Amino acid sequence: MLTGRRFVKPTCTDAKIAAMNEMRAREVLTAAGLSGGAELLALGENVVFAVGDLVVKVGRDAVRHPELRDRAEREVAVARWLADSGVPAVRAAEATARLVEGHPVTLWHRLPDAVRPAEPRDLARLLTLVHALPAPDGLGLPRRELLGGVERWLRLAGDAIDPADADYLRERRDGFAAAAAALVPHLPPGPIHGDALPRNVHVGPDGPVLVDLETFSADLREHDLVVLALSRDRYGLAPEAYDAFTAAYGWDVREWEGCAVLRGARETASCAWVSQHAPSNLKALAEFRRRVASLRDGDTAVRWYPF
């Protein structure tokens, strides 16, 4: 989210929530002395602005959620480690995260405009570099807690979703968490991106670079590969694009017997993530119900959509 070309305008049902987040983030920018000409780029887990040659990420309240400051500090440290390791990735403009009025704030060098959209094969080449790295000295990468947010998202959904659907997802979470813990990997575990999608690659004049480093983890390398396999089956990624990805990486995770387990865990998390938006977004509620129905029916080919 460091280029200025990835902001999606909120829907009408999200507008008040988005405006409140942006307003608070701009207050934090002002307190940090970074408000001059700030252009909103993205609203999500962070609020992201372009300020001159910099990109500024403002995190959520780290007073109530101290782990968010740790995550911001780790993202900056990961960027420094990747630079030292020769992996093309976004570069931090400051060595540490700031804490401004209780919010973590990180500064990044703004990337030049993209020369073309990123493709799955671009992602594969970057993943081969990341997956070749040993665990970094002095930087404790966490496990990839794919299912860790399920309970929080379901609680945020509240009465907007059917309690039976919430209970069903909790049961799936517990089952897949146990199954994932017992997996025998095909690849040697180690550093992973954690959210390995083409949207987290930026292709500039000097080639592809990784962006959005906050989910970097130390876990099964297969986590990074299942994402694209699920994209092929659920989100409409063209089969030929997926084939180009596996050819560039050198292996297809669908050949691994544990693929279905990580896929099921990721589907469970993705479904629960949508639920948190259901109270204020009717499209999200409809998409949540569609996803749950496809899981209950065991239909792995039902297309899932953004909302």
Side-chain angles (χ1 to χ4, degrees), residues 88 115-116 122 126 201-210:
V115 297
R116 61 172 174 82
D122 299 315
L126 292 169
V201 174
H202 179 80
V203 184
D206 296 324
V209 300
L210 278 175

Side-chain angles (χ1 to χ4, degrees), residues 120 228-229 231-233 235-247 252 254:
L228 262 289
S231 295
R232 180 189 186 279
D233 296 337
Y235 298 106
L237 178 67
E240 56 269 23
Y242 181 77
D243 291 344
F245 172 80
T246 58
D252 188 341
R254 295 179 301 170

Side-chain angles (χ1 to χ4, degrees), residues 60-269:
R60 295 172 185 261
D61 184 358
V63 175
R64 289 189 295 176
H65 301 283
E67 70 277 7
L68 296 182
R69 184 179 187 182
D70 295 339
R71 186 172 69 180
E73 291 282 9
R74 186 168 58 247
E75 185 178 16
V76 172
V78 165
R80 184 166 56 249
W81 166 60
L82 292 178
D84 293 341
S85 301
V87 176
V90 291
R91 306 304 186 207
E94 289 189 349
T96 61
R98 303 184 190 184
L99 188 65
V100 182
E101 296 189 349
H103 294 261
V105 176
T106 54
L107 276 64
W108 303 85
H109 294 293
R110 191 170 184 175
L111 296 172
D113 289 345
V115 297
R116 61 172 174 82
E119 300 176 6
R121 61 183 179 180
D122 299 315
L123 172 64
R125 295 185 182 109
L126 292 169
L127 290 181
T128 59
L129 298 177
V130 171
H131 291 182
L133 295 176
D137 292 333
L139 174 57
L141 294 176
R143 296 291 300 274
R144 180 66 173 106
E145 294 294 342
L146 186 61
L147 296 163
V150 168
E151 185 61 33
R152 176 167 59 91
W153 297 326
L154 293 177
R155 288 184 181 276
L156 288 170
D159 296 337
I161 64 173
D162 188 332
D165 287 341
D167 290 342
Y168 171 71
L169 290 178
R170 290 185 177 103
E171 291 175 5
R172 278 183 61 97
R173 174 200 60 198
D174 295 344
F176 279 114
L183 287 175
V184 177
H186 173 79
L187 303 171
I192 60 174
H193 181 276
D195 192 23
L197 286 162
R199 72 184 183 204
N200 288 328
V201 174
H202 179 80
V203 184
D206 296 324
V209 300
L210 278 175
V211 303
D212 290 350
L213 310 177
E214 63 188 6
T215 54
F216 252 80
S217 312
D219 213 314
L220 304 185
R221 260 57 187 260
E222 288 84 354
H223 273 293
D224 274 347
L225 306 179
V226 166
V227 180
L228 262 289
L230 183 58
S231 295
R232 180 189 186 279
D233 296 337
R234 288 292 196 197
Y235 298 106
L237 178 67
E240 56 269 23
Y242 181 77
D243 291 344
F245 172 80
T246 58
Y249 186 83
W251 182 59
D252 188 341
V253 71
R254 295 179 301 170
E255 299 171 3
W256 176 55
E257 62 183 7
C259 181
V261 172
L262 289 192
R263 172 191 162 126
R266 193 165 191 93
E267 285 176 318
T268 303

